[in-house]
Amino acid sequence: MSKPRGTSWMHVYGTTLLSGIGFTMILFIGGLAFIDITLEREVKFRVLAGSVLSALCGS
């Protein structure tokens, strides 16, 4: 597999990190998986924190 012309490995790395933002579906799954409101809030916080970290690293 080859990279498109003009694309560096840093572009590939940045795109990979930014794709981590797309996992917001886990918020829905976390809401269904945990009945305890404390655990549900913890899942939401950790997913959002991970998305922010992915955005920061990718940019």
Side-chain angles (χ1 to χ4, degrees), residues 40-51:
E40 185 178 344
R41 286 181 182 160
E42 186 173 342
V43 166
K44 288 180 181 181
F45 173 75
R46 291 177 187 260
V47 168
L48 292 174
S51 293

Side-chain angles (χ1 to χ4, degrees), residues 23 26-51:
F23 291 104
I26 196 67
L27 292 172
F28 175 70
I29 295 169
L32 295 176
F34 298 106
I35 297 172
D36 185 11
I37 192 71
T38 306
L39 291 175
E40 185 178 344
R41 286 181 182 160
E42 186 173 342
V43 166
K44 288 180 181 181
F45 173 75
R46 291 177 187 260
V47 168
L48 292 174
S51 293

Side-chain angles (χ1 to χ4, degrees), residues 5-29:
R5 191 172 2 146
T7 304
S8 70
W9 282 110
M10 287 305 291
H11 290 114
V12 174
Y13 180 68
T15 302
T16 303
L17 288 173
L18 288 174
S19 68
I21 298 170
F23 291 104
T24 55
M25 188 61 182
I26 196 67
L27 292 172
F28 175 70
I29 295 169

